[in-house]
Amino acid sequence: MQLIDGKQLAKTIKEELAQEVEQIKANGGKIPHLAAVLVGDDPASKAYVGSKVRSCEKIGYKSTLITPAADVSEEELLGIVDKLNMDPDIDGFIVQLPLPKHIDAEKVTLAIDPKKDVDGFHPQNFGRMALGLPCYLPATPFGIVTMLDRYNIETSGKHCVVLGRSNIVGTPISLLLSRKAKVGNCTVTITHSRTKNIAEEVKRADIIIAAIGIPRFVTEDMVKDGAVIIDVGINRVEDPTAKRGYRLVGDVDYENVAEKCSFITPVPGGVGPMTVTSLLTNTLRASRKEVYG
Ligand code: NAD
């Protein structure tokens, strides 16, 4: 079994990006600039955005954090989005989800200029991804594809079973892996909460992508010998021995499954750290106008 070390890979990619920034500076080019909008003070969102902004600073990007209060009106927030769309120095920006209930998140996502949508959530980018056109890939699926690529894991002709069909993970990764591309050409089965005999489906997989948010759902008996496992789940389970009283586990029963696999991602330290590097890569692509010219 080989561990897919997302933490290490993310570090390597950030070093590569930092070198690119050095090069840009040396050539007198434009420094990539990412903005993040964080509405209210949800602790998890604060932590996510904080890590994105710190990563920007570490690799030499410019970053701007905008923090409207939780009671900001939808109109005001759309005004902020509009300003960011128009600002020529901002290459890309994100509006951290979830948003407070009085704001229509879909309306906000639609208001973001697709050219600056480095989260890849705008329907235009999603549609372009589905068609195999240049686009910003959504962060988590992009991270997964990068892991498979950098670890030279063969995907062509393999049977991939995806657990979960969310718009941010399950559905886009299913599309990407079935596309005619270097990391792709898989035969993909998407499973979800209404799938019958899910264990049988998963057992046939050469590659398992687990993204359902149920701790240790994928057990040893569901995994074929030599399978590749990408565990996207991040779940809190009680652990009185841990400092915070809980620890994080994935959707896969790692302890019992790992030995059966050819490759597996740990939780934490697997897919999670790759999400931020995807965003940083998309921002560099935006500053170079690689996608939309
Ligand atoms: P979601 O809650 O939006 O969707 C869950 C999906 O799982 C749904 O499509 C549902 O049909 C399916 N599902 C639910 N119960 C099921 C069951 N019993 N059997 C089969 N399918 C079932 O989830 P999401 O936003 O895609 O997130 C999934 C997990 O991945 C969560 O633990 C989340 O925290 C984690 N996540 C991690 C990252 C990362 O960077 N590592 C990014 C996004 C999400």
Side-chain angles (χ1 to χ4, degrees), residues 162-206:
V162 177
L163 293 100
R165 57 178 164 190
S166 74
N167 289 343
I168 61 164
V169 189
T171 297
I173 193 65
S174 305
L175 283 166
L176 286 172
L177 289 178
S178 62
R179 266 183 8 182
K180 194 172 176 179
K182 183 176 170 230
V183 178
N185 290 315
C186 282
T187 304
V188 176
T189 302
I190 311 181
T191 64
H192 45 75
S193 52
R194 303 287 179 93
T195 301
K196 289 188 176 137
N197 301 325
I198 197 162
E200 275 172 40
E201 297 291 345
V202 178
K203 181 101 198 183
R204 292 192 294 123
D206 303 310

Side-chain angles (χ1 to χ4, degrees), residues 142-251:
F142 188 8
I144 295 171
V145 168
T146 305
M147 283 177 143
L148 293 169
D149 186 28
R150 297 281 185 122
Y151 275 81
N152 286 317
I153 295 170
E154 182 61 77
T155 56
S156 180
K158 303 290 181 191
H159 184 199
C160 173
V161 174
V162 177
L163 293 100
R165 57 178 164 190
S166 74
N167 289 343
I168 61 164
V169 189
T171 297
I173 193 65
S174 305
L175 283 166
L176 286 172
L177 289 178
S178 62
R179 266 183 8 182
K180 194 172 176 179
K182 183 176 170 230
V183 178
N185 290 315
C186 282
T187 304
V188 176
T189 302
I190 311 181
T191 64
H192 45 75
S193 52
R194 303 287 179 93
T195 301
K196 289 188 176 137
N197 301 325
I198 197 162
E200 275 172 40
E201 297 291 345
V202 178
K203 181 101 198 183
R204 292 192 294 123
D206 303 310
I207 300 171
I208 299 168
I209 314 271
I212 54 175
I214 302 179
R216 306 190 188 96
F217 181 88
V218 177
T219 47
E220 194 186 353
D221 54 309
M222 294 163 77
V223 176
K224 182 164 88 174
D225 279 331
V228 174
I229 299 195
I230 307 291
D231 188 356
V232 186
I234 302 176
N235 310 292
R236 280 185 184 189
V237 292
E238 266 184 48
D239 181 355
T241 67
K243 221 162 87 188
R244 295 176 181 164
Y246 70 86
R247 67 195 171 93
L248 298 179
V249 300
D251 289 350

Side-chain angles (χ1 to χ4, degrees), residues 1-5 229-230 252 254 257-258 261-266:
M1 181 275 287
Q2 191 180 342
L3 196 74
I4 304 181
D5 187 344
I229 299 195
I230 307 291
V252 176
Y254 184 93
V257 166
C261 304
S262 54
F263 289 90
I264 188 165
T265 60

Side-chain angles (χ1 to χ4, degrees), residues 29-290:
K30 183 187 178 304
I31 305 296
H33 188 172
L34 175 76
V37 183
L38 170 66
V39 179
D41 43 23
D42 173 62
S45 295
K46 256 184 162 171
Y48 289 139
V49 172
S51 113
K52 290 167 189 173
V53 169
R54 274 194 307 278
S55 295
C56 279
E57 284 160 6
K58 259 194 186 153
I59 64 167
Y61 285 10
K62 279 169 83 176
S63 65
T64 298
L65 179 61
I66 300 162
T67 54
D71 62 356
V72 67
S73 71
E74 187 176 279
E75 204 185 337
E76 279 170 310
L77 183 59
L78 289 170
I80 292 171
V81 167
D82 230 31
K83 262 195 170 160
L84 292 169
N85 282 340
M86 306 300 280
D87 185 337
D89 197 60
I90 304 279
D91 298 300
F93 65 97
I94 59 164
V95 179
Q96 183 66 38
L97 301 177
L99 290 171
K101 284 201 173 72
H102 66 278
I103 295 174
D104 182 346
E106 204 179 312
K107 212 168 171 180
V108 175
T109 302
L110 278 170
I112 297 173
D113 181 345
K115 295 187 184 74
K116 296 193 177 188
D117 168 41
V118 285
D119 250 344
F121 287 163
H122 191 285
Q124 186 165 322
N125 279 310
F126 202 95
R128 289 173 74 102
M129 174 187 68
L131 295 168
L133 296 170
C135 64
Y136 300 116
L137 293 179
T140 304
F142 188 8
I144 295 171
V145 168
T146 305
M147 283 177 143
L148 293 169
D149 186 28
R150 297 281 185 122
Y151 275 81
N152 286 317
I153 295 170
E154 182 61 77
T155 56
S156 180
K158 303 290 181 191
H159 184 199
C160 173
V161 174
V162 177
L163 293 100
R165 57 178 164 190
S166 74
N167 289 343
I168 61 164
V169 189
T171 297
I173 193 65
S174 305
L175 283 166
L176 286 172
L177 289 178
S178 62
R179 266 183 8 182
K180 194 172 176 179
K182 183 176 170 230
V183 178
N185 290 315
C186 282
T187 304
V188 176
T189 302
I190 311 181
T191 64
H192 45 75
S193 52
R194 303 287 179 93
T195 301
K196 289 188 176 137
N197 301 325
I198 197 162
E200 275 172 40
E201 297 291 345
V202 178
K203 181 101 198 183
R204 292 192 294 123
D206 303 310
I207 300 171
I208 299 168
I209 314 271
I212 54 175
I214 302 179
R216 306 190 188 96
F217 181 88
V218 177
T219 47
E220 194 186 353
D221 54 309
M222 294 163 77
V223 176
K224 182 164 88 174
D225 279 331
V228 174
I229 299 195
I230 307 291
D231 188 356
V232 186
I234 302 176
N235 310 292
R236 280 185 184 189
V237 292
E238 266 184 48
D239 181 355
T241 67
K243 221 162 87 188
R244 295 176 181 164
Y246 70 86
R247 67 195 171 93
L248 298 179
V249 300
D251 289 350
V252 176
D253 181 12
Y254 184 93
E255 278 78 19
N256 296 309
V257 166
E259 278 315 312
K260 285 188 93 175
C261 304
S262 54
F263 289 90
I264 188 165
T265 60
V267 176
V271 176
M274 295 298 295
T275 305
V276 175
T277 59
S278 302
L279 180 69
L280 298 173
T281 305
N282 279 344
T283 303
L284 180 68
R285 297 185 74 212
S287 76
R288 291 190 166 149
K289 313 233 179 298
E290 269 178 30

